[in-house]
Amino acid sequence: AVVSTQSTGTPAECEVWGMIGGCAIGASRKTITDENIGFVKEQLKSLDAVVIFGGFEAIFSSLTLAKVAPLPIYVIPATISNNVPGSDFSLGCDTALNSIVRAVDSIKQSAASTRKRVFILELMGGNCGYLTVMSGIACGADAVYIPENPVKIDELQADASKVIDKMERGVHRGIIMRNEYSSPNYKNDFVAALYAEEGAGKYVVRNNILGHIQQGYSPSPFDRCMAAQFASKVYRNLEKRLVQESFTAEDVVVVGVIGSNTLFTPVTKLEMDKERRVPTKSSLRWLELKPLIPILSLPPPIVKTEVGQEDKIKD
């Protein structure tokens, strides 16, 4: 991000940063470009290294910065969308996931005394479906719609039929989750109207957009520990790199968690779709979990209690 002033914090001020959400030093969606690079270059004359926190804007800014700044440059992934290539997780995504699960649990509880209600929920995440898939698994969603797997109208109708089947088998709630950019045409209002039409007389539909509640909460323990891990890794690596006499684009790296390892990956070697600002599908490890959702949401079986009689398991 382009910041016109330098912000410093006293030890007492920095001590509480790990307990509050947001960015205490300020943030911006403006990226470093060839047009404003001159101003940025002046700001860097007194620095020995640069650490950028952010999402895809940080990736693009780091590449532009490398053209004029012969410095070690680190990108620490920090976005609830979790769309930064080079890391399985970005700072903030776990906190947002916890906020979503907390909100959806409250929504489900609100329907405890009201039978046969289907909730259509819109979630954030930009062009990345991470939050939708993971919260769908955690909350027991019946279906999720994400940009990585564009949904078709016949799939929407098939999912609505599955919800009807569950209602007939004794389950009286339905949860449908869609990423905000899962489809340019099938938005929340359309999906809610389709489910209402398909299930007319069998259930009622409630349309919900969770909005910025997903961005506002104290950092989760996982995010706090990951932030400390990233910072420690960068600091130790920086001690070694400062003795270098020159730096190239290969010295612009993303620090990230890949599997069980914390690694540095040169930005020039990242697998990403620059137009959509997401990692390539082949590098999305979490996408492998999406097939679990229809399995976990299967309706309860019908069991026979006596010869010739059937009894439906209640939720």
Side-chain angles (χ1 to χ4, degrees):
V2 179
V3 182
S4 59
T5 59
Q6 293 182 342
S7 300
T8 59
T10 65
E13 291 172 337
C14 296
E15 186 178 9
V16 300
W17 285 1
M19 298 182 291
I20 59 177
C23 183
I25 62 174
S28 171
R29 286 190 177 274
K30 295 180 181 178
T31 56
I32 300 173
T33 63
D34 292 334
E35 286 72 30
N36 59 32
I37 193 67
F39 163 78
V40 175
K41 185 178 179 179
E42 289 297 318
Q43 303 293 309
L44 298 175
K45 286 184 176 179
S46 61
L47 301 181
D48 296 314
V50 177
V51 180
I52 307 176
F53 294 82
F56 246 82
E57 289 82 2
I59 297 289
F60 291 136
S61 293
S62 68
L63 289 172
T64 307
L65 195 60
K67 299 176 183 178
V68 297
L71 301 170
I73 301 174
Y74 298 89
V75 176
I76 293 183
T79 168
I80 69 167
S81 300
N82 197 33
N83 66 340
V84 179
S87 184
D88 291 342
F89 302 102
S90 60
L91 299 181
C93 71
D94 185 70
T95 300
L97 182 58
N98 277 271
S99 296
I100 293 170
V101 171
R102 189 181 299 109
V104 175
D105 284 349
S106 296
I107 289 173
K108 290 169 65 177
Q109 196 172 53
S110 73
S113 60
T114 305
R115 300 296 182 175
K116 299 187 177 180
R117 186 177 282 181
V118 176
F119 297 94
I120 312 297
L121 308 176
E122 179 181 284
L123 308 182
M124 289 182 171
N127 285 316
C128 180
Y130 172 82
L131 289 177
T132 306
V133 169
M134 302 309 287
S135 59
I137 294 173
C139 299
D142 295 285
V144 298
Y145 307 128
I146 59 176
E148 290 82 359
N149 301 129
V151 66
K152 304 297 183 182
I153 190 70
D154 56 338
E155 294 176 52
L156 292 173
Q157 293 173 317
D159 289 337
S161 296
K162 292 177 183 177
V163 172
I164 293 173
D165 184 46
K166 287 185 68 172
M167 296 290 181
E168 293 174 346
R169 289 172 179 256
V171 178
H172 300 293
R173 283 193 302 267
I175 299 290
I176 308 299
M177 294 181 170
R178 59 172 296 276
N179 169 277
E180 58 187 337
Y181 295 137
S182 59
S183 170
N185 299 309
Y186 304 148
K187 298 184 181 296
N188 242 50
D189 289 341
F190 179 91
V191 174
L194 183 144
Y195 271 80
E197 182 67 23
E198 294 292 319
K202 298 180 175 64
Y203 57 72
V204 295
V205 173
R206 293 291 181 265
N207 191 354
N208 293 266
I209 298 177
L210 294 191
H212 286 79
I213 191 174
Q214 298 161 83
Q215 296 184 359
Y217 209 76
S218 298
S220 68
F222 182 84
D223 271 337
R224 299 184 196 194
C225 293
M226 187 165 59
Q229 181 179 352
F230 284 168
S232 174
K233 193 78 173 180
V234 167
Y235 179 78
R236 293 180 181 181
N237 183 264
L238 181 59
E239 287 183 312
K240 301 174 183 177
R241 296 175 70 193
L242 284 177
V243 300
Q244 290 181 219
E245 295 183 358
S246 62
F247 300 92
T248 67
E250 293 296 310
D251 294 298
V252 182
V253 297
V254 172
V255 56
V257 174
I258 301 178
S260 59
N261 301 310
T262 304
L263 305 172
F264 292 103
T265 306
V267 171
T268 55
K269 296 182 179 180
L270 294 175
E271 298 179 17
M272 55 183 170
D273 182 338
K274 291 184 179 180
E275 183 177 347
R276 296 183 60 246
R277 299 195 172 195
V278 291
T280 57
K281 286 181 65 174
S282 60
S283 65
L284 299 177
R285 296 158 62 90
W286 56 264
L287 196 55
E288 300 172 1
L289 299 175
K290 185 175 179 285
L292 287 175
I293 291 175
I295 296 174
L296 295 174
S297 65
L298 286 173
I302 297 177
V303 296
K304 293 187 176 182
T305 54
E306 295 181 14
V307 177
Q309 293 184 345
E310 293 180 342
D311 187 26
K312 299 170 184 174
I313 297 179
K314 307 295 183 182
D315 64 340

